[in-house]
Every structure is written in structure tokens, then in C-alpha cells.
Amino acid sequence: MSPPTTSPTAGVAPSAKGGPKDRLATRAGLAVACVVLLGLLLASVVVAIGMGSATVSPGDTARLLWAALSGGAIDADEVTTYQIIWQIRTPRVLLAALVGAGLSAVGVAIQALVRNALADPFVLGVSSGASVGAVAVTVTGGLAALGIYAVSVGAFIGALVASLLVYAASATRGGGLAPLRLVLTGVAMALGFQAVMSVIIYFAPDSEATSMVLYWTMGSFGAATWGALPVVAVAVLLGTAVLHRYSRALDVLALGDETATSLGISPDRHRKGLLVLASLITGVMVAVSGAISFVGLVMPHLVRMVVGATHARVLAVAPLVGAVFMVWVDLVSRTLVAPRELPLGVITALVGVPVFIALMRRKGYVFGGR
């Protein structure tokens, strides 16, 4: 699988002169946007770490974080606050940022691969398949030899199996993918995987199975630890970098298989390889957060409206937007009805459904922008 040499803007309608897309089309404009989003993400992370049952001001939060990173000293009466900030909240907030970034990047890729604006890991059943794999490993104790990576490997296997099943079931006789068939097949497969997961939980001897199925179907970062971060960080950051490398291929694939073939791109080869990559990223994320809906569906659309349809720009901005969004979603989930915690999927659905309906009702809106 090698990146094509065609122009990354092939088939993309030009934006209005002087508009936001036109300004962000330049490298300088895109760089400024990314710097601003990075600053917003950093500020969001500091604020989110400081807020909770024990609120800490942003200034004190930043000071304690710097002490942890630099090995600096803290006062004796700040030990408890330091432990809350560094051991409990920091890994959770960082995990939220990574999962938000990963879901947005995978959503961008899947929508281009299948040429369908309704596609994302959740809708296509990939997240549900990953949940089945993770729950099966947790309940049965399978893959125990892999230690702390057992659940991640199980989730990846489930995501990969789900991707292959959806791909095989929706492929036409000629080997192509019909977008409508793909979405309908994905929805059916997602329901099927959820039923399988419920059966596994039903026959599990553990009395905590009911809470487990809620966790995997609605999402939570409550189990975040420092030990879980390295694997997720590598999968999301490296996976997003690879997707960005193949942004030109995604541009061409979004135009259709016939166009891609005429431009020297093998649709099946690129699609299979990128689907495996998307399954890997999704599996790792689901293993630590459960299945979270609408992030990978809505974030790519919002970003395309601002930066245009070229995937090099979308994949540079969408992960940052998704990271900021998920940090605030997690903050709301653990503070709105404290001490209880709302499932992440409830909040993302409440935000995502009206936003997506509004996007679809925009006059002239199509996949890739207006």
C-alpha cells in the first residue's frame, strides 16, 4: 500500500474566495489553526484535571502537574491533592483526549473508505465487535498469557472480525462496496454483536456482569490508569500519523472506485489495509473506554465545513477537535450528577444527534462539504 501521487485536492470543489476554507487552505493558516487548537486542548486538560469533587484552581493544578513532571517538591498538606490530581484525574483526562482524537481520525478515514457520510466505527459495528471481544476476554479470562494487554488484543480481534464480516456481507458481486448496503449491514451487525455481548453477560457467573455490559455499551473513563495510556497513545498517535500519510489515497477513494482505478490506485488493496488499521485503533480505544457513539460521526463533518474536504487538512484538525470535545464530555459526565457518573454515550448522543440532524438539513450539504 503506497501513497498515490495524485493531487490531494482532486475532485474537491473550490471554496469561496476569502472564506475560512480558503484561508485554512494555506499551510500557514492550517498551522495557526492547529496551534490554537493545541492551546485550547492544553487549557481544557488543565481545567478538567482541576475540577471534580475536590476542585483545584487552574494555577494550582498547573503547579502540581509541573512538580510531578519535573520532580519538584510540594508542601506536606498538598500530598492528598497531589495524588488526586496526578494519580486519578490526569490519566483519565489524557485518556479522554486520546480517545476523542482517535475516534475523530478513524471516523474521517471510514467515511472516505466507504464513501458514506453516515459511516463511523459505531454505526458500522466495529465498536460493537470490539466490545464483544473485550467482554469475552474479561468474562472468560481468555488470553490470560498476554497479561494487561489481553483485553486490548481481544477488543482488536473483535473489531477486526466485525470489519471483515461487514465488508464481506456488504460487498457486491463485482467486489465493490455499495454505500447504502454497507451502512445497513453495519447497523444489523452492530445489533447482532450487542445481542452476543448480552448473551455472554447473561451466562457469566459474575454478579457484576450487568454493570460491565453498561460500561462497554455506553462508555466510561472511570477505569483509566497510567498503565493503560502507553498502548492507547501509541495506537492513536501512530495510527493517525499513518492515516495522514495516506490522506491523498483517501481523497481519491472518496471519489469512487472507478475514479481511483483510473488514477492508478487499487481501491481494494488500500481499503483492506486501512480498514485493518482502523480496526486496530478502534479495538485499543474500546478496550479502555467502551463503545462511544457519534464522535467519529459528527466531528469529521464539522471539521470539513471549516477546512474543506481535503483529507490532509481534515486529519490535521479533526483529532484536535475531537480531543477537546471528549475532554469536556468526560468532565460533564463526572461532575453533572456527582457523585454518580453519567455514561459518556448519553452525553455524546445528546450532543451528536441534534448536531448531525442540523448538518443533514443544511441546504446543499453533501459528503465532503457544501
Side-chain angles (χ1 to χ4, degrees), residues 315-330:
L315 284 170
V317 175
L320 295 173
V321 175
V324 173
F325 175 70
M326 189 54 66
V327 167
W328 285 99
V329 166
D330 178 59

Side-chain angles (χ1 to χ4, degrees), residues 79-105:
V79 172
T80 301
T81 302
Y82 172 82
Q83 291 177 340
I84 293 173
I85 291 293
W86 184 247
Q87 297 295 338
I88 299 176
R89 293 184 186 170
T90 299
R92 175 172 182 148
V93 173
L94 292 180
L95 185 62
L98 287 169
V99 170
L103 288 174
S104 299

Side-chain angles (χ1 to χ4, degrees), residues 33 81 91 111 168 266 290 319 335:
T81 302
Q111 288 174 8
S266 173
T335 58

Side-chain angles (χ1 to χ4, degrees), residues 25-50:
T26 65
R27 290 186 177 181
L30 186 63
V32 170
C34 290
V35 170
V36 171
L37 285 171
L38 281 172
L40 180 60
L41 176 59
L42 180 60
S44 299
V45 166
V46 173
V47 171
I49 290 174

Side-chain angles (χ1 to χ4, degrees), residues 320-366:
L320 295 173
V321 175
V324 173
F325 175 70
M326 189 54 66
V327 167
W328 285 99
V329 166
D330 178 59
L331 177 60
V332 171
S333 76
R334 59 186 170 87
T335 58
L336 186 63
V337 292
R340 301 185 66 182
E341 183 176 316
L342 285 174
L344 297 173
V346 172
I347 303 173
T348 56
L350 289 175
V351 175
V353 169
V355 170
F356 188 73
I357 292 176
L359 288 174
M360 291 297 99
R361 290 183 62 87
R362 282 174 59 92
K363 183 179 180 180
Y365 183 86
V366 293

Side-chain angles (χ1 to χ4, degrees), residues 143-303:
L143 303 178
L146 298 178
I148 61 174
Y149 302 107
V151 177
S152 296
V153 173
F156 168 64
I157 294 174
L160 184 58
V161 170
S163 299
L164 295 175
L165 289 176
V166 171
Y167 186 93
S170 58
T172 61
R173 291 184 178 180
L177 285 177
L180 180 58
R181 290 181 61 179
L182 188 68
V183 172
L184 294 177
T185 303
V187 171
M189 288 291 184
L191 294 174
F193 282 123
Q194 290 173 15
V196 171
M197 183 167 56
S198 298
V199 170
I200 294 174
I201 296 300
Y202 181 80
F203 287 103
D206 191 349
S207 61
E208 297 181 356
T210 302
S211 61
M212 185 189 302
V213 71
L214 178 63
Y215 170 83
W216 289 112
T217 55
M218 300 302 288
S220 172
F221 297 119
T225 63
W226 281 110
L229 279 178
V231 175
V232 182
V234 170
V236 171
L237 297 178
L238 185 59
T240 302
V242 173
L243 289 176
H244 193 275
R245 172 177 169 78
Y246 288 95
S247 57
R248 292 182 178 180
L250 293 174
D251 286 333
V252 177
L253 289 173
L255 300 176
D257 289 1
E258 293 183 1
T259 302
T261 302
S262 67
L263 293 173
I265 302 301
S266 173
D268 287 339
R269 184 161 57 90
H270 281 80
R271 188 174 284 118
K272 290 175 182 177
L274 291 172
L275 276 176
V276 171
L277 177 61
S279 299
L280 172 61
I281 301 173
T282 302
V284 171
M285 291 188 297
V286 169
V288 295
S289 68
I292 304 173
S293 61
F294 284 101
V295 179
L297 178 63
V298 174
M299 291 300 118
H301 289 291
L302 293 177
V303 173

